[in-house]
Amino acid sequence: MPDTIVALLVRFLEQGKGKLSDRAKNKEFNVLSADEIARIEDRYREIFQSQDQALP
């Protein structure tokens, strides 16, 4: 996946608090399967929620 698409994906996940909107799933990321999207969302939450919890 090109860096620009990864950056876009992260921005959408930030906006959706770890979930991609239906519009993003159907438009920008329509090449990803539902399983791939679920795994990406899970991994995003694992990484970024643990960072949020570490902040004082």
Side-chain angles (χ1 to χ4, degrees):
M1 190 178 290
D3 289 345
T4 54
I5 300 299
V6 171
L8 183 63
L9 176 62
V10 171
R11 280 196 304 268
F12 278 127
L13 289 167
E14 287 171 346
Q15 291 172 0
K17 296 184 170 95
K19 297 289 275 178
L20 282 178
S21 68
D22 288 339
R23 189 197 62 76
K25 290 177 191 177
N26 293 323
K27 188 174 180 189
E28 287 85 4
F29 304 104
N30 64 345
V31 297
L32 297 175
S33 70
D35 183 56
E36 290 171 320
I37 290 171
R39 290 192 328 229
I40 289 168
E41 290 172 340
D42 288 345
R43 190 70 180 124
Y44 176 88
R45 285 190 299 273
E46 286 175 18
I47 293 167
F48 290 100
Q49 283 183 349
S50 64
Q51 287 181 357
D52 289 344
Q53 292 170 358
L55 296 175

